């Protein structure tokens, strides 16, 4: 499906707090198409995650898709997870440093401290509520993507 343009650092959309997806939007063709376009865009850019504001949709939808890569060779190879209205319920006290990049800040990488483990609650595209624990690289991606929903770029955490 459609690969969408990705907003770049300095564009207002990336500084906004995205709005929650409304109950009426679950199970809608709109939300399915948004998720498919986000996934296609993420894959086209070789990303391991993406947030809706990065494709100019200021709504609280993210995709998390950890896979082994040069920087995280032992990262889990996980099926892409679409999270609607994600909320991080708990951050572990333990943090870890790791390198991050961003599809909206090309040619820049930096070392960011993130909680080692998190509990996140989100809804699926069908409106089911899920609570899940993530740690390590997948937890890092979730925190990076939820930051996008709150208008925060990783470079502000360096
Ligand atoms: O801008 C985004 O949200 C995508 C971003 C997600 C992310 C990467 C690394 C740590 C946290 C979140 C990317 O996928 S950047 C490109 C990439 O695949 C990558 C970059 C650095 C390290 C590992 C992967
Ligand atoms: Zn990013």
């Amino acid at each position: 499906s459609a690969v969408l343009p990705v907003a770049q650092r300095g564009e207002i959309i990336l500084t906004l707090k995205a709005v929650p997806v409304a109950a009426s939007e679950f199970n809608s063709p709109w939300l399915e198409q948004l998720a498919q376009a986000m996934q296609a865009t993420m894959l086209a850019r070789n990303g391991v995650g993406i947030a809706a504001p990065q494709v100019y949709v200021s709504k609280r939808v993210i995709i998390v898709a950890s896979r082994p890569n040069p920087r995280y060779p032992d990262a889990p190879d996980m099926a892409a997870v679409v999270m609607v209205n994600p909320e991080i319920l708990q951050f572990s006290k333990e943090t870890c440093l790791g390198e991050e990049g961003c599809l909206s800040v090309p040619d820049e990488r930096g070392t960011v401290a993130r909680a080692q483990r998190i509990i996140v609650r989100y809804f699926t595209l069908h409106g089911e509520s899920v609570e899940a624990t993530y740690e390590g690289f997948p937890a890092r991606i979730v925190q990076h993507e939820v930051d996008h929903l709150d208008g925060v770029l990783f470079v502000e955490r360096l």
Side-chain angles (χ1 to χ4, degrees):
S1 75
V3 172
L4 301 176
V6 173
Q8 297 299 293
R9 186 186 190 178
E11 295 187 61
I12 300 285
I13 189 94
L14 295 176
T15 67
L16 305 180
K17 188 169 174 54
V19 301
V21 168
S24 59
E25 297 179 85
F26 286 106
N27 285 314
S28 73
W30 144 254
L31 200 56
E32 302 269 347
Q33 282 157 24
L34 172 63
Q36 280 165 11
M38 285 171 64
Q39 175 128 351
T41 305
M42 177 189 72
L43 294 178
R45 301 287 188 109
N46 276 328
V48 291
I50 195 166
Q54 292 182 280
V55 291
Y56 298 94
V57 176
S58 195
K59 285 187 185 262
R60 301 187 78 79
V61 182
I62 66 173
I63 296 182
V64 179
S66 165
R67 60 167 159 35
N69 59 82
R71 279 160 202 76
Y72 299 84
D74 50 4
D77 201 339
M78 64 187 271
V81 179
V82 179
M83 299 185 180
V84 179
N85 300 341
E87 267 180 279
I88 300 177
L89 304 177
Q90 265 183 53
F91 295 85
S92 64
K93 209 171 31 307
E94 301 76 19
T95 61
C96 56
L97 291 173
E99 189 167 346
E100 301 194 7
C102 186
L103 302 179
S104 299
V105 188
D107 320 322
E108 210 172 318
R109 293 230 188 284
T111 302
V112 181
R114 300 283 189 182
Q116 164 63 18
R117 201 172 32 264
I118 59 170
I119 299 179
V120 55
R121 177 172 51 211
Y122 64 89
F123 291 87
T124 66
L125 289 172
H126 303 295
E128 294 141 0
S129 177
V130 175
E131 258 184 48
T133 301
Y134 289 94
E135 54 185 26
F137 188 50
R140 174 174 302 277
I141 301 170
V142 173
Q143 293 171 79
H144 178 112
E145 303 311 335
V146 170
D147 267 357
H148 274 305
L149 301 183
D150 295 331
V152 175
L153 294 180
F154 85 94
V155 289
E156 298 164 48
R157 293 189 181 280
L158 293 182

